[in-house]
């Protein structure tokens, strides 16, 4: 896979890649490691770096302060993060809310570091007027809007299936063809799309880096050939030298489709589920959003498959130290509609008042002179939970509290609670991070964890239905 690069300038831009260990990130590093000063971001610490010219930095994207540190001195940030795997033993939160919070963290950190541009690789959107988006595509659009909500100029690149060696979507198609001599395809495989080769995707991303012509723009990319997913299966079979009978049937439910694709496509549920939900849409490139910064001699789908199968490049990946996790940590993320336009400051203060009121026969709360907020059971004097506000890391749109004490807590130096407004304050997110409970794990997950979700759902209803 050859890419024609622009001449390297004397002063190379510094480009940070969030999600550098993923498919597109690793290939971008391979092709452009000499053209840019690349800072590759990963959750795990790198043990063996195959490319000395690339700087790897460990980052926890759930932490704004940590993300801000690693983006110091960065000109352009490429955001390739989608539905990160849980870094805690228990994760109470949907992939949409998790992705929204991570994008907001990244946007805030980029703003604080005066990053000039964020490039986000998202998904094509349906063209049917009035059609509701799948959860997956709606989440991609929310991430796009959030990344572009501050001073860093966003370039949103929207793509369908990216065809290249090691790509998860292409591997899923390849595995289906390899494993099934007869492919009874669900009706959604008749949907149309415009896949694009990895080579052309990387070329477009490279062209966008630091390019002021695409600042604040959404770009939709795909090769000019419009084909169905069923046709993609047929063409892949030809390139694999497999004789396959491929036909559509109307009887597959969405749930059955997920099982079918996941099992025979040898793909994890967290990839299959959102992908299958999105494939019901027609996902083609809008003429007005088509990439026009340079002429690209796009590979057809057949050529893309051939290039993916014939690639002889040995892509080197760094080795990582095992992630040093604190045992039995919890993360819980809840999104609440902010119909009254309240600030995160007001919501945090209201929660501290509402909680003892809601549990008025069980819980009492008070604010100490030190500024700490303490909750007690009425018949005890020992704090159940103690929160310490961090003023220098809080603002009107975000309130941060360390979980600093209480008999429900095992570690007082690890967890934090926050309230923040996102998407122009359309929603408030409440999140507990890295909380370590004192209760034995099985008791905790069946009592305190469930009670927390129930309480937050009640608080969500309170915010929505309150009169003033």
């Amino acid at each position: 896979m050859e890419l024609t690069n622009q001449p390297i300038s004397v002063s190379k831009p510094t480009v940070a890649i969030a999600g550098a260990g993923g498919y597109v990130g690793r290939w971008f590093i391979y092709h452009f490691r000499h053209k840019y000063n690349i800072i590759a971001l990963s959750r795990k610490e790198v043990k063996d770096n195959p490319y000395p010219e690339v700087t790897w930095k460990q980052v926890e994207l759930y932490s704004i302060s940590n993300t801000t540190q690693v983006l110091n001195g960065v000109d352009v940030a490429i955001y390739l993060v989608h539905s990160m795997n849980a870094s805690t033993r228990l994760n109470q939160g949907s992939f949409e809310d998790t992705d929204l919070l991570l994008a907001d963290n990244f946007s805030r950190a980029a703003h604080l570091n005066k990053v000039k541009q964020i490039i986000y690789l998202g998904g094509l959107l349906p063209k049917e007027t009035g059609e509701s988006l799948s959860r997956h595509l709606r989440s991609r659009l929310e991430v796009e809007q959030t990344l572009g909500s501050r001073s860093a100029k966003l370039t949103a690149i929207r793509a369908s299936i990216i065809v290249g060696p090691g790509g998860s979507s292409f591997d899923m198609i390849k595995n289906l063809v390899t494993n099934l001599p007869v492919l009874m395809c669900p009706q959604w495989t008749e949907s149309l799309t415009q896949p694009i080769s990895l080579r052309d995707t990387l070329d477009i991303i490279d062209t966008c880096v630091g390019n002021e012509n695409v600042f604040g723009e959404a770009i939709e990319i795909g090769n000019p050939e419009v084909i169905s997913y069923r046709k993609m299966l047929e063409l892949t079979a030809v390139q694999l030298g497999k004789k396959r009978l491929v036909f559509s049937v109307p009887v597959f439910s969405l749930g059955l489709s997920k099982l079918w694709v996941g099992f025979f496509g040898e793909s994890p549920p967290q990839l299959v589920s959102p992908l299958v939900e999105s494939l019901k849409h027609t996902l083609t490139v809008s003429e007005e959003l088509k990439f026009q910064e340079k002429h690209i001699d796009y590979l057809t789908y057949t050529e893309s498959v051939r290039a993916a199968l014939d690639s002889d490049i040995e892509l080197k990946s760094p080795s990582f130290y095992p992630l040093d996790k604190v045992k039995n940590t919890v993360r819980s993320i809840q999104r609440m509609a902010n119909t009254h336009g309240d600030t995160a400051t007001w919501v945090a203060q209201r929660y501290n008042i509402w909680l003892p009121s809601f549990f008025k026969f069980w819980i009492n709360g008070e604010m100490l002179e030190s500024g700490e907020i303490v909750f007690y059971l009425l018949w005890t004097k020992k704090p159940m939970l103690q929160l310490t506000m961090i003023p220098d890391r809080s603002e009107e749109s975000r309130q941060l509290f360390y979980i600093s004490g209480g008999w429900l807590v095992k570690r007082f130096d690890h967890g934090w609670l926050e309230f923040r407004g996102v998407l122009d304050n359309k929603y408030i997110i409440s999140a507990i991070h890295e909380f370590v409970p004192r209760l034995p794990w099985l008791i905790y997950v069946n009592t305190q964890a469930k009670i927390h979700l129930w309480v937050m759902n009640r608080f969500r209803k309170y915010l929505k239905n309150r009169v003033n």
Side-chain angles (χ1 to χ4, degrees), residues 143-155:
V143 168
E144 180 181 310
Q145 293 168 339
T146 302
L147 290 173
S149 63
R150 295 181 175 86
S151 60
K153 302 301 182 183
L154 179 70
T155 301

Side-chain angles (χ1 to χ4, degrees), residues 281-321:
H281 300 294
T282 295
L283 300 176
T284 53
V285 175
S286 299
E287 187 64 29
E288 62 274 16
L289 298 179
K290 186 167 62 176
F291 179 73
Q292 297 178 342
E293 281 302 296
K294 65 179 288 188
H295 172 76
I296 293 181
D297 187 13
Y298 289 97
L299 297 181
T300 65
Y301 180 75
T302 295
E303 292 168 338
S304 301
V305 172
R306 190 179 303 132
L309 296 176
D310 294 344
S311 175
D312 57 358
I313 296 176
E314 184 180 351
L315 189 63
K316 298 177 183 179
S317 297
S319 59
F320 298 94
Y321 291 103

Side-chain angles (χ1 to χ4, degrees), residues 141-336:
L141 183 58
E142 286 184 341
V143 168
E144 180 181 310
Q145 293 168 339
T146 302
L147 290 173
S149 63
R150 295 181 175 86
S151 60
K153 302 301 182 183
L154 179 70
T155 301
I157 300 175
R158 301 171 182 167
S160 178
I161 290 177
I162 299 173
V163 183
S168 54
S169 297
F170 173 66
D171 279 353
M172 186 169 61
I173 293 171
K174 183 176 66 175
N175 292 335
L176 286 171
V177 171
T178 301
N179 293 332
L180 293 171
V182 177
L183 290 99
M184 295 186 298
C185 298
Q187 191 62 38
W188 53 259
T189 60
E190 299 294 342
S191 298
L192 299 176
T193 191
Q194 290 176 252
I196 186 169
S197 70
L198 173 64
R199 185 203 72 174
D200 297 338
T201 302
L202 294 175
D203 193 3
I204 290 170
I205 294 174
D206 173 49
T207 303
C208 290
V209 171
N211 185 345
E212 295 185 1
N213 292 335
V214 296
F215 283 9
E217 298 293 329
I219 299 167
E220 298 190 342
I221 64 174
N223 90 72
E225 177 186 22
V226 179
I227 62 174
S228 68
Y229 296 99
R230 191 182 80 168
K231 186 65 174 178
M232 291 166 63
L233 292 167
E234 293 172 345
L235 294 174
T236 302
V238 171
Q239 293 305 310
L240 287 170
K242 306 284 187 182
K243 292 184 178 180
R244 294 293 184 255
L245 178 60
V246 185
F247 58 95
S248 296
V249 293
V251 295
F252 275 63
S253 66
L254 190 61
L256 189 58
S257 294
K258 293 177 183 179
L259 291 174
W260 176 76
V261 174
F263 183 78
F264 293 106
E266 301 177 17
S267 301
Q270 62 266 30
L271 169 67
V272 171
S273 182
L275 181 62
V276 170
E277 288 178 8
S278 301
L279 297 186
K280 65 182 180 180
H281 300 294
T282 295
L283 300 176
T284 53
V285 175
S286 299
E287 187 64 29
E288 62 274 16
L289 298 179
K290 186 167 62 176
F291 179 73
Q292 297 178 342
E293 281 302 296
K294 65 179 288 188
H295 172 76
I296 293 181
D297 187 13
Y298 289 97
L299 297 181
T300 65
Y301 180 75
T302 295
E303 292 168 338
S304 301
V305 172
R306 190 179 303 132
L309 296 176
D310 294 344
S311 175
D312 57 358
I313 296 176
E314 184 180 351
L315 189 63
K316 298 177 183 179
S317 297
S319 59
F320 298 94
Y321 291 103
L323 193 63
D324 184 18
K325 293 184 179 180
V326 176
K327 187 178 179 181
N328 291 350
T329 53
V330 177
R331 176 170 287 108
S332 188
I333 303 170
Q334 286 81 44
R335 180 195 311 216
M336 298 174 282

Side-chain angles (χ1 to χ4, degrees), residues 35 90 270:
K35 182 173 182 178
L90 177 64
Q270 62 266 30

